[in-house]
Amino acid sequence: MTRLGTPPWHLFHSDELLGPDTFAHYFTDLEWEDMKDAKEWFIDKGIEIKYILVVGRRSSHDRLELDCERDGKQESHWAKDRPYVKKTTREYITKSKNFGCLFKIIVNRPNGKVYKIYKMMNGCHNHDDPDSLIGHAAVYGLKPHQLEKVRSMKACKPSDILRNIKEDDKNNFSTLRKIYAARAAFKRSEWDGRAVIKQSQW
């Protein structure tokens, strides 16, 4: 069961409330035997409210850290051998994904058996949520079982395949372009390295 509402004080710690507080969406008394299941649960919760969570660098076998994808410092990737030009005066404007977001959830396995939420280090983001996740890599890709569905339905129209996938997974925002690319990849693998002209002869 997922319990929403004001969290216990010992689970919450934040030195600075920077933006939208999303803690209530993640607070739960659920337990998981597999870390993979815990990770998927929190990531799916984030997608529901249009925030993408990623596994933190300090995660280990018994500890799972989930950070906002916009964590990290904003750094310039301008080539060192070129004179620096301010972004506002360039012909094109680049935008860094990193925003120094301090959002962090810690899940651990205190008894060595099951994983559960340990602490919400910071439930607030320092940036607004996007209007849509369409086209985002986290929801744009196809999972292994969805790729298998594309393979099994390769004789169907791509639009029918895409509709079938989205009916099963409401958080998937794949496009027809992704379905075409997956079918083309399967076709190339079935050719077993033969060139197009040799495939017709074969």
Side-chain angles (χ1 to χ4, degrees):
M1 294 185 298
T2 301
R3 186 170 66 246
L4 302 180
T6 304
W9 65 269
H10 65 278
L11 281 179
F12 182 73
H13 169 74
S14 176
D15 296 327
E16 186 177 7
L17 299 180
L18 299 171
D21 186 0
T22 61
F23 182 87
H25 295 278
Y26 303 99
F27 182 57
T28 177
D29 53 8
L30 287 175
E31 297 178 344
W32 301 270
E33 295 183 359
D34 193 329
M35 181 186 287
K36 180 181 177 182
D37 295 333
K39 180 181 71 174
E40 290 181 353
W41 189 89
F42 283 101
I43 290 178
D44 288 345
K45 278 292 179 182
I47 291 175
E48 288 180 8
I49 57 175
K50 300 178 183 177
Y51 286 105
I52 303 300
L53 304 186
V54 296
V55 177
R57 294 184 294 272
R58 295 185 179 181
S59 296
S60 62
H61 181 67
D62 294 319
R63 174 189 173 96
L64 172 65
E65 284 194 6
L66 293 155
D67 301 332
C68 175
E69 68 164 352
R70 305 196 71 176
D71 179 25
K73 297 180 180 179
Q74 284 189 325
E75 297 179 355
S76 174
H77 299 286
W78 195 257
K80 294 182 179 180
D81 58 343
R82 298 175 59 188
Y84 179 75
V85 180
K86 290 184 178 180
K87 291 183 178 181
T88 54
T89 58
R90 298 177 194 168
E91 294 181 359
Y92 61 92
I93 305 298
T94 59
K95 187 176 181 180
S96 173
K97 180 189 295 185
N98 295 340
F99 210 74
C101 186
L102 299 178
F103 177 93
K104 185 184 293 292
I105 297 174
I106 298 178
V107 177
N108 69 355
R109 189 165 56 168
N111 55 8
K113 294 182 180 180
V114 294
Y115 295 90
K116 59 183 180 180
I117 187 170
Y118 168 67
K119 185 180 291 185
M120 171 71 76
M121 297 299 293
N122 196 320
C124 297
H125 297 265
N126 64 352
H127 54 88
D128 294 328
D129 57 317
D131 296 330
S132 174
L133 293 178
I134 295 177
H136 195 289
V139 294
Y140 177 68
L142 296 174
K143 298 176 182 178
H145 71 278
Q146 293 170 340
L147 287 172
E148 185 58 35
K149 178 167 291 187
V150 174
R151 184 194 295 272
S152 63
M153 297 179 63
K154 61 183 180 181
C156 302
K157 294 180 179 179
S159 57
D160 293 337
I161 299 175
L162 181 61
R163 182 171 59 255
N164 193 290
I165 289 175
K166 290 188 175 184
E167 287 176 354
D168 294 339
D169 185 357
K170 302 300 182 182
N171 290 327
N172 187 282
F173 293 91
S174 295
T175 61
L176 281 174
R177 182 178 180 181
K178 194 68 177 180
I179 303 298
Y180 278 111
R183 292 208 316 176
F186 289 139
K187 185 177 293 185
R188 287 194 299 270
S189 65
E190 292 172 355
W191 289 0
D192 196 24
R194 293 184 292 272
V196 176
I197 188 170
K198 290 184 178 180
Q199 171 66 13
S200 60
Q201 296 173 353
W202 185 83

